[in-house]
Amino acid sequence: MITAIVLIHAVADSIPETAQAIADIDGVSEVYSCAGDVDLIAMVGVHTHEELADLIPAKIGRVQGVIDTDTHIAFRSYSTADTESAFALGADE
């Protein structure tokens, strides 16, 4: 699974509608509105780089209210939830 973090600049008056439209796209797991340099952050999970290449410009980039995107591909996860679940494998056996 390829995980990407998409930073999105959006039209201020339409952030809730833009966020929901992005959240409804297959491959997008979460969308956060936030303060700071970007308006929205979308978490994306796909199986291939080709899917990612189609998803960002053709779907997310064309949502009404999206001004610009900046995509970051994750190499590795350091989440404590992932670590805890890995150590829990087979614990019930």
Side-chain angles (χ1 to χ4, degrees):
M1 179 70 73
I2 299 167
T3 300
I5 299 95
V6 184
L7 309 177
I8 302 163
H9 293 273
V11 175
D13 292 342
S14 65
I15 288 174
E17 297 83 8
T18 302
Q20 188 58 60
I22 294 168
D24 291 340
I25 296 172
D26 287 339
V28 176
S29 61
E30 300 160 293
V31 178
Y32 300 96
S33 61
C34 53
D37 293 336
V38 297
D39 302 304
L40 300 169
I41 297 175
M43 301 301 295
V44 173
V46 294
H47 292 93
T48 67
H49 285 97
E50 290 78 17
E51 289 177 271
L52 190 62
D54 291 335
L55 180 71
I56 306 301
K59 294 183 181 171
I60 293 176
R62 292 189 179 166
V63 168
Q64 186 172 354
V66 171
I67 297 169
D68 189 33
T69 63
D70 184 16
T71 303
H72 299 262
I73 298 173
F75 293 124
R76 187 173 291 142
S77 171
Y78 295 96
S79 168
T80 56
D82 291 341
T83 304
E84 289 171 4
S85 66
F87 282 109
L89 291 176
D92 294 336
E93 295 177 15

